[in-house]
Amino acid sequence: EAKARNSGAPKTRNENMYRREQPLTLVAGGAGFIGSHLCAELLGRGKHVLCLDNLQTARPSNLRLLEDHPNFEFIEADIVNPLPSAVTSRTARIERVYNLACAASPPQYQADPEHTMLTCVVGTDNLLRLSEAAGARFLLTSTSEVYGDPEMHPQREDYRGFVNCTGPRACYDEGKRAAEAIAFDFARMRRAEVRVARIFNTYGPHMHPDDGRVVSNLICQALSGLPVTIYGDGSQTRSFCYVSDMVDGLIRLMESDISGLEPINLGNPEERTVRELLDAILTILDRPVAIEHRPLPTDDPRRRRPDIGRAQALLGWQPRTPLVEGLNLTCAWFAEEIGVQETITIL
Ligand code: UDP
């Protein structure tokens, strides 16, 4: 089945890139939510970007914003399969490899859990081998999910986590833990220079409206006049980072000369309950909504908040966008995206 996902010749565009011998930055998962913002930022910094995506959870319109750029090339491919020749034929030119390829929302990564696990493990291994052959630096986007339902709060990188390896989140949690293990083995064996970011909840434009995550669900439901879905009593917490801050952190980490053997938390240390998030959204959208309570999903972490001391000290990084400002931008974008007439004042 994995093969069928990647059937046919890879589709490439902007083939004039072949002729210029510029160094390439490969972004796997570059058509997704964070990946598309990362590609745009790299292009803005003059990089030549090779974007690989299987379009499993990506929004095609994310790509339309990028594909006319002369330094951007899109290749439809699934990293669980051997990398296409459009990539391997240019191995020597690849200087950076970002791996953002994986469904990251619980309903989406649980829809095909075997594929999620293989994307994390086999996909990461394929990109690490490419990085080794290219002499490229490799960045893995890992996740706060490696901490599971944490007993240490806030979560520091040296906390080893409390993860259920038999639960419905295991395909992602354990997949990313294995991806980290293999990435650090490549680093230890000096097969590739490695960076590992543990990304905490991130939100912003280009999220998929049907992504199933709390920010997109609550905003889209409120905009559409539907009841908003709160799982459990809404007292569980998350810490929400605006996407442009996240992209800045990822690039800083990639370009930093820190040792390849420590993961770095990237996220916003401001912790909110799901109810507080809803209140902030409703203040912006200014409308009454009905609340539909649903059971808390299995293994849903009670609390989550990053300790970003390491990112602050080593990268000089911390999020800059206040929640209300980021939510304003996100609400305005979703209103346009799902076609709701809405006047939202951008702060
Ligand atoms: N959640 C919710 N309503 C929704 C979607 C999610 O109350 O419509 C809750 C979910 O149970 C979790 C939190 O919001 O406690 C964040 O969920 P999300 O899926 O966004 O991210 P993750 O659980 O991976 O952090």
Side-chain angles (χ1 to χ4, degrees):
E1 200 202 332
K3 278 212 172 68
R5 282 189 193 95
N6 203 12
S7 61
K11 294 167 193 158
T12 68
R13 298 198 192 101
N14 289 338
E15 302 212 352
N16 60 342
M17 281 179 71
Y18 288 87
R19 287 191 288 275
R20 275 180 273 147
E21 291 303 307
Q22 298 286 344
L24 296 172
T25 300
L26 187 141
V27 181
F33 160 48
I34 301 179
S36 58
H37 287 277
L38 176 64
C39 288
E41 182 61 30
L42 291 167
L43 290 168
R45 296 180 187 209
K47 303 294 180 194
H48 289 236
V49 174
L50 201 53
C51 166
L52 221 62
D53 205 297
N54 67 355
L55 302 181
Q56 180 196 353
T57 57
R59 292 169 59 262
S61 50
N62 289 348
L63 271 181
R64 282 200 289 277
L65 298 168
L66 300 166
E67 64 189 359
D68 290 335
H69 196 292
N71 298 339
F72 179 78
E73 181 178 345
F74 171 66
I75 299 169
E76 185 178 342
D78 192 318
I79 57 167
V80 304
N81 298 325
L83 296 174
S85 60
V87 173
T88 53
S89 64
R90 284 175 288 169
T91 299
R93 284 177 55 198
I94 297 174
E95 64 169 4
R96 298 281 187 266
V97 175
Y98 286 90
N99 182 12
L100 289 86
C102 192
S105 170
Q108 290 184 336
Y109 69 62
Q110 288 166 5
D112 186 348
E114 180 189 11
H115 185 247
T116 300
M117 177 62 86
L118 293 177
T119 301
C120 291
V121 181
V122 178
T124 297
D125 185 52
N126 281 335
L127 293 174
L128 279 163
R129 285 164 181 266
L130 175 77
S131 304
E132 178 181 25
R137 192 179 287 175
F138 172 85
L139 184 147
L140 171 69
T141 55
S142 182
T143 169
S144 56
E145 294 265 334
V146 300
Y147 302 121
D149 190 2
E151 307 133 299
M152 176 198 252
H153 194 79
Q155 292 79 55
R156 272 201 340 235
E157 289 90 344
D158 55 6
Y159 173 54
R160 292 187 183 176
F162 185 52
V163 179
N164 176 5
C165 70
T166 63
R169 295 175 92 104
C171 59
Y172 186 69
D173 302 3
E174 299 288 10
K176 288 288 188 181
R177 287 168 70 97
E180 285 199 19
I182 194 169
F184 286 122
D185 279 330
F186 266 73
R188 242 186 313 271
M189 297 165 81
R190 301 189 191 282
R191 294 176 66 181
E193 251 195 278
V194 163
R195 307 282 184 267
V196 174
R198 290 183 178 157
I199 295 182
F200 284 65
N201 296 66
T202 302
Y203 70 100
H206 302 188
M207 288 181 100
H208 204 296
D210 300 325
D211 184 70
R213 269 182 283 198
V214 68
V215 173
S216 45
N217 272 5
L218 298 184
I219 293 176
C220 292
Q221 289 159 346
L223 283 170
S224 312
L226 296 168
V228 292
T229 50
I230 297 289
Y231 303 164
D233 62 5
S235 64
Q236 69 273 34
T237 67
R238 296 291 186 273
S239 308
F240 298 98
C241 183
Y242 190 64
V243 65
S244 57
D245 288 325
M246 182 56 61
V247 164
D248 176 43
L250 291 173
I251 296 176
R252 278 178 195 239
L253 175 57
M254 177 65 106
E255 299 310 325
S256 73
D257 53 11
I258 64 165
S259 120
L261 288 174
E262 42 188 1
I264 305 274
N265 286 340
L266 293 179
N268 195 325
E270 261 184 48
E271 183 181 357
R272 311 285 171 123
T273 66
V274 166
R275 283 303 297 248
E276 285 166 351
L277 174 74
L278 175 64
D279 290 344
I281 290 170
L282 295 182
T283 305
I284 293 166
L285 295 180
D286 191 23
R287 65 189 58 210
V289 293
I291 295 180
E292 184 183 320
H293 283 280
R294 294 201 186 158
L296 200 62
T298 308
D299 292 339
D300 197 275
R302 288 290 313 154
R303 305 183 74 183
R304 186 184 287 153
R305 173 181 162 196
D307 180 317
I308 60 163
R310 204 180 264 183
Q312 284 172 312
L314 297 179
L315 310 177
W317 177 87
Q318 63 184 42
R320 310 245 164 239
T321 313
L323 183 67
V324 65
E325 186 183 326
L327 285 178
N328 248 280
L329 295 165
T330 310
C331 287
W333 181 83
F334 268 122
E336 187 147 329
E337 182 66 13
I338 64 176
V340 177
Q341 294 301 317
E342 190 72 23
T343 318
I344 293 167
T345 319
I346 307 290
L347 296 178

